[in-house]
CSV table of all heavy atoms in Angstrom, one decimal:
chain,number,residue,atom,x,y,z
A,1,LEU,N,16.5,12.6,-38.3
A,1,LEU,CA,18.0,12.6,-38.3
A,1,LEU,C,18.5,12.4,-36.9
A,1,LEU,O,19.5,11.6,-36.8
A,1,LEU,CB,18.5,13.9,-38.9
A,1,LEU,CG,18.3,14.1,-40.4
A,1,LEU,CD1,18.8,15.4,-40.9
A,1,LEU,CD2,18.9,12.9,-41.2
A,2,ASP,N,18.0,13.0,-35.9
A,2,ASP,CA,18.5,12.9,-34.6
A,2,ASP,C,18.3,11.5,-34.1
A,2,ASP,O,19.2,10.9,-33.4
A,2,ASP,CB,17.7,13.9,-33.6
A,2,ASP,CG,18.1,15.3,-33.9
A,2,ASP,OD1,19.2,15.5,-34.5
A,2,ASP,OD2,17.4,16.2,-33.5
A,3,ALA,N,17.2,10.9,-34.4
A,3,ALA,CA,16.9,9.5,-34.0
A,3,ALA,C,17.9,8.5,-34.6
A,3,ALA,O,18.4,7.6,-34.0
A,3,ALA,CB,15.5,9.1,-34.3
A,4,GLN,N,18.2,8.8,-35.9
A,4,GLN,CA,19.1,7.9,-36.7
A,4,GLN,C,20.5,8.1,-36.1
A,4,GLN,O,21.2,7.1,-35.9
A,4,GLN,CB,19.1,8.3,-38.2
A,4,GLN,CG,17.9,7.9,-38.9
A,4,GLN,CD,17.9,8.3,-40.4
A,4,GLN,OE1,18.9,7.9,-41.1
A,4,GLN,NE2,16.9,9.0,-40.8
A,5,ARG,N,20.9,9.3,-35.9
A,5,ARG,CA,22.3,9.5,-35.3
A,5,ARG,C,22.4,8.9,-33.9
A,5,ARG,O,23.5,8.3,-33.6
A,5,ARG,CB,22.6,11.0,-35.3
A,5,ARG,CG,24.1,11.3,-35.0
A,5,ARG,CD,24.4,12.8,-35.2
A,5,ARG,NE,25.9,12.9,-35.1
A,5,ARG,CZ,26.6,13.0,-34.0
A,5,ARG,NH1,26.0,12.9,-32.9
A,5,ARG,NH2,27.9,13.2,-34.1
A,6,ASP,N,21.4,9.0,-33.1
A,6,ASP,CA,21.4,8.5,-31.8
A,6,ASP,C,21.6,7.0,-31.8
A,6,ASP,O,22.4,6.4,-31.1
A,6,ASP,CB,20.2,8.8,-31.0
A,6,ASP,CG,20.2,8.3,-29.6
A,6,ASP,OD1,21.1,8.7,-28.8
A,6,ASP,OD2,19.3,7.5,-29.3
A,7,ALA,N,20.8,6.3,-32.7
A,7,ALA,CA,20.9,4.9,-32.9
A,7,ALA,C,22.3,4.4,-33.3
A,7,ALA,O,22.9,3.5,-32.8
A,7,ALA,CB,19.9,4.4,-33.9
A,8,VAL,N,22.9,5.2,-34.3
A,8,VAL,CA,24.2,4.9,-34.8
A,8,VAL,C,25.3,5.0,-33.7
A,8,VAL,O,26.1,4.2,-33.6
A,8,VAL,CB,24.5,5.8,-36.0
A,8,VAL,CG1,26.0,5.8,-36.3
A,8,VAL,CG2,23.8,5.3,-37.3
A,9,MET,N,25.2,6.1,-33.0
A,9,MET,CA,26.2,6.4,-32.0
A,9,MET,C,26.1,5.3,-30.8
A,9,MET,O,27.2,4.9,-30.3
A,9,MET,CB,26.1,7.8,-31.4
A,9,MET,CG,26.4,8.9,-32.5
A,9,MET,SD,28.1,8.6,-33.1
A,9,MET,CE,28.1,9.7,-34.5
A,10,ARG,N,24.9,5.0,-30.4
A,10,ARG,CA,24.8,4.0,-29.4
A,10,ARG,C,25.3,2.6,-29.9
A,10,ARG,O,25.9,1.9,-29.1
A,10,ARG,CB,23.3,3.8,-29.0
A,10,ARG,CG,22.8,5.0,-28.1
A,10,ARG,CD,21.4,4.7,-27.5
A,10,ARG,NE,20.4,4.9,-28.5
A,10,ARG,CZ,19.7,4.0,-29.1
A,10,ARG,NH1,19.9,2.7,-28.8
A,10,ARG,NH2,18.8,4.3,-30.0
A,11,HIS,N,25.0,2.3,-31.1
A,11,HIS,CA,25.5,1.0,-31.7
A,11,HIS,C,27.0,1.0,-31.7
A,11,HIS,O,27.7,0.0,-31.4
A,11,HIS,CB,24.9,0.9,-33.1
A,11,HIS,CG,25.3,-0.4,-33.7
A,11,HIS,ND1,24.6,-1.6,-33.5
A,11,HIS,CD2,26.3,-0.8,-34.6
A,11,HIS,CE1,25.2,-2.6,-34.2
A,11,HIS,NE2,26.2,-2.1,-34.9
A,12,ALA,N,27.6,2.1,-32.2
A,12,ALA,CA,29.1,2.2,-32.2
A,12,ALA,C,29.7,2.1,-30.9
A,12,ALA,O,30.7,1.4,-30.7
A,12,ALA,CB,29.5,3.5,-32.9
A,13,ARG,N,29.1,2.7,-29.9
A,13,ARG,CA,29.7,2.7,-28.5
A,13,ARG,C,29.6,1.2,-28.0
A,13,ARG,O,30.5,0.7,-27.3
A,13,ARG,CB,28.9,3.6,-27.6
A,13,ARG,CG,29.3,5.1,-27.8
A,13,ARG,CD,28.8,5.9,-26.6
A,13,ARG,NE,27.4,5.9,-26.4
A,13,ARG,CZ,26.5,6.7,-27.0
A,13,ARG,NH1,27.0,7.7,-27.8
A,13,ARG,NH2,25.2,6.7,-26.8
A,14,SER,N,28.5,0.6,-28.3
A,14,SER,CA,28.3,-0.8,-27.8
A,14,SER,C,29.4,-1.8,-28.4
A,14,SER,O,29.7,-2.8,-27.8
A,14,SER,CB,26.9,-1.3,-28.1
A,14,SER,OG,26.8,-1.6,-29.5
A,15,ARG,N,29.9,-1.4,-29.6
A,15,ARG,CA,30.9,-2.2,-30.2
A,15,ARG,C,32.3,-1.7,-29.9
A,15,ARG,O,33.3,-2.3,-30.4
A,15,ARG,CB,30.7,-2.2,-31.7
A,15,ARG,CG,29.4,-2.8,-32.2
A,15,ARG,CD,29.4,-4.3,-31.9
A,15,ARG,NE,28.2,-5.0,-32.4
A,15,ARG,CZ,28.1,-5.5,-33.7
A,15,ARG,NH1,29.2,-5.4,-34.5
A,15,ARG,NH2,27.0,-6.1,-34.0
A,16,GLY,N,32.4,-0.6,-29.2
A,16,GLY,CA,33.7,-0.1,-28.9
A,16,GLY,C,34.4,0.4,-30.2
A,16,GLY,O,35.6,0.4,-30.4
A,17,ALA,N,33.5,0.9,-31.1
A,17,ALA,CA,34.0,1.3,-32.5
A,17,ALA,C,34.0,2.8,-32.6
A,17,ALA,O,33.5,3.5,-31.8
A,17,ALA,CB,33.1,0.7,-33.5
A,18,GLU,N,34.7,3.2,-33.7
A,18,GLU,CA,34.8,4.7,-34.0
A,18,GLU,C,34.0,5.0,-35.2
A,18,GLU,O,34.1,4.3,-36.2
A,18,GLU,CB,36.3,5.0,-34.1
A,18,GLU,CG,36.5,6.5,-34.5
A,18,GLU,CD,37.9,6.8,-34.9
A,18,GLU,OE1,38.7,5.8,-35.0
A,18,GLU,OE2,38.3,8.0,-35.1
A,19,VAL,N,33.2,6.1,-35.2
A,19,VAL,CA,32.6,6.6,-36.4
A,19,VAL,C,33.5,7.7,-37.0
A,19,VAL,O,33.7,8.7,-36.4
A,19,VAL,CB,31.2,7.3,-36.0
A,19,VAL,CG1,30.6,7.9,-37.3
A,19,VAL,CG2,30.3,6.2,-35.4
A,20,ILE,N,34.1,7.3,-38.1
A,20,ILE,CA,35.1,8.2,-38.7
A,20,ILE,C,34.6,9.2,-39.6
A,20,ILE,O,35.2,10.2,-40.0
A,20,ILE,CB,36.2,7.3,-39.4
A,20,ILE,CG1,35.6,6.6,-40.6
A,20,ILE,CG2,36.9,6.4,-38.5
A,20,ILE,CD1,36.6,5.9,-41.5
A,21,ALA,N,33.3,9.1,-40.1
A,21,ALA,CA,32.7,10.0,-41.0
A,21,ALA,C,31.2,9.9,-40.9
A,21,ALA,O,30.7,8.8,-40.7
A,21,ALA,CB,33.2,9.9,-42.4
A,22,GLU,N,30.5,11.0,-41.2
A,22,GLU,CA,29.0,10.9,-41.2
A,22,GLU,C,28.5,11.6,-42.5
A,22,GLU,O,29.0,12.7,-42.8
A,22,GLU,CB,28.4,11.6,-40.0
A,22,GLU,CG,28.9,11.0,-38.6
A,22,GLU,CD,28.3,11.8,-37.5
A,22,GLU,OE1,27.1,11.7,-37.2
A,22,GLU,OE2,29.2,12.5,-36.9
A,23,PHE,N,27.5,11.1,-43.1
A,23,PHE,CA,26.9,11.6,-44.3
A,23,PHE,C,25.4,11.7,-44.2
A,23,PHE,O,24.8,10.7,-43.7
A,23,PHE,CB,27.3,10.8,-45.5
A,23,PHE,CG,28.8,10.8,-45.8
A,23,PHE,CD1,29.6,9.9,-45.2
A,23,PHE,CD2,29.3,11.7,-46.7
A,23,PHE,CE1,31.0,10.0,-45.5
A,23,PHE,CE2,30.7,11.8,-47.0
A,23,PHE,CZ,31.5,10.9,-46.4
A,24,THR,N,24.8,12.8,-44.6
A,24,THR,CA,23.4,13.0,-44.5
A,24,THR,C,22.8,13.2,-45.9
A,24,THR,O,23.3,14.1,-46.6
A,24,THR,CB,23.0,14.1,-43.6
A,24,THR,OG1,23.5,13.8,-42.3
A,24,THR,CG2,21.5,14.3,-43.5
A,25,GLU,N,21.8,12.5,-46.3
A,25,GLU,CA,21.1,12.7,-47.6
A,25,GLU,C,19.7,13.1,-47.3
A,25,GLU,O,19.0,12.5,-46.5
A,25,GLU,CB,21.2,11.4,-48.3
A,25,GLU,CG,20.9,11.5,-49.8
A,25,GLU,CD,22.2,11.3,-50.6
A,25,GLU,OE1,22.8,10.2,-50.6
A,25,GLU,OE2,22.6,12.3,-51.2
A,26,ILE,N,19.2,14.1,-48.1
A,26,ILE,CA,17.8,14.4,-48.1
A,26,ILE,C,17.2,14.0,-49.5
A,26,ILE,O,17.4,14.7,-50.4
A,26,ILE,CB,17.5,15.9,-47.8
A,26,ILE,CG1,18.1,16.3,-46.5
A,26,ILE,CG2,16.1,16.2,-47.8
A,26,ILE,CD1,18.1,17.7,-46.2
A,27,GLU,N,16.7,12.8,-49.5
A,27,GLU,CA,16.3,12.3,-50.8
A,27,GLU,C,15.3,11.1,-50.6
A,27,GLU,O,15.4,10.4,-49.6
A,27,GLU,CB,17.6,11.7,-51.6
A,27,GLU,CG,17.3,11.4,-53.0
A,27,GLU,CD,16.7,12.5,-53.8
A,27,GLU,OE1,17.5,13.4,-54.2
A,27,GLU,OE2,15.5,12.5,-54.0
A,28,SER,N,14.5,10.9,-51.6
A,28,SER,CA,13.5,9.8,-51.6
A,28,SER,C,14.2,8.5,-51.7
A,28,SER,O,15.2,8.4,-52.4
A,28,SER,CB,12.5,10.0,-52.7
A,28,SER,OG,11.8,8.8,-52.9
A,29,GLY,N,13.7,7.5,-51.0
A,29,GLY,CA,14.3,6.2,-51.1
A,29,GLY,C,14.2,5.6,-52.5
A,29,GLY,O,14.8,4.6,-52.8
A,30,ARG,N,13.3,6.1,-53.3
A,30,ARG,CA,13.1,5.6,-54.7
A,30,ARG,C,14.2,6.2,-55.6
A,30,ARG,O,14.4,5.6,-56.7
A,30,ARG,CB,11.7,6.0,-55.2
A,30,ARG,CG,10.6,5.3,-54.5
A,30,ARG,CD,9.2,5.7,-55.0
A,30,ARG,NE,8.2,5.0,-54.4
A,30,ARG,CZ,7.7,3.8,-54.9
A,30,ARG,NH1,8.2,3.3,-56.0
A,30,ARG,NH2,6.7,3.2,-54.3
A,31,ASN,N,14.8,7.2,-55.2
A,31,ASN,CA,15.8,7.9,-56.1
A,31,ASN,C,17.2,7.2,-55.9
A,31,ASN,O,17.7,7.2,-54.8
A,31,ASN,CB,15.9,9.4,-55.8
A,31,ASN,CG,16.7,10.1,-56.8
A,31,ASN,OD1,17.5,9.5,-57.6
A,31,ASN,ND2,16.5,11.4,-56.9
A,32,SER,N,17.7,6.7,-57.0
A,32,SER,CA,19.0,6.0,-56.9
A,32,SER,C,20.2,7.0,-57.0
A,32,SER,O,21.4,6.5,-56.8
A,32,SER,CB,19.1,4.9,-58.0
A,32,SER,OG,19.0,5.5,-59.3
A,33,GLN,N,19.9,8.2,-57.3
A,33,GLN,CA,21.0,9.2,-57.4
A,33,GLN,C,21.3,9.8,-56.0
A,33,GLN,O,20.6,10.7,-55.6
A,33,GLN,CB,20.6,10.3,-58.4
A,33,GLN,CG,20.3,9.9,-59.8
A,33,GLN,CD,21.5,9.1,-60.4
A,33,GLN,OE1,22.6,9.6,-60.4
A,33,GLN,NE2,21.2,8.0,-61.0
A,34,ARG,N,22.3,9.2,-55.4
A,34,ARG,CA,22.6,9.6,-54.0
A,34,ARG,C,24.1,10.0,-53.9
A,34,ARG,O,25.0,9.2,-53.6
A,34,ARG,CB,22.4,8.4,-53.1
A,34,ARG,CG,21.0,7.7,-53.2
A,34,ARG,CD,20.0,8.3,-52.3
A,34,ARG,NE,18.9,7.4,-52.3
A,34,ARG,CZ,18.8,6.4,-51.5
A,34,ARG,NH1,19.7,6.2,-50.6
A,34,ARG,NH2,17.7,5.6,-51.5
A,35,PRO,N,24.4,11.3,-54.1
A,35,PRO,CA,25.8,11.7,-54.0
A,35,PRO,C,26.4,11.5,-52.6
A,35,PRO,O,27.6,11.1,-52.5
A,35,PRO,CB,25.7,13.2,-54.3
A,35,PRO,CG,24.3,13.6,-54.2
A,35,PRO,CD,23.5,12.4,-54.5
């Protein structure tokens, strides 16, 4: 999770963009039920 968030924040900063919301899911990639 830390690595993903770091990548997202670095990408947003490089675009001068704002991250307005963050969502975290603990689920298998095979499961399509993703609240």
Side-chain angles (χ1 to χ4, degrees):
L1 290 177
D2 289 341
Q4 290 179 54
R5 190 173 191 278
D6 181 60
V8 162
M9 292 305 169
R10 281 190 286 107
H11 184 83
R13 285 195 299 269
S14 71
R15 295 296 183 90
E18 176 188 8
V19 176
I20 62 172
E22 300 176 75
F23 294 85
T24 300
E25 196 107 65
I26 301 174
E27 190 57 79
S28 167
R30 292 176 174 272
N31 192 340
S32 61
Q33 301 303 312
R34 308 272 194 84

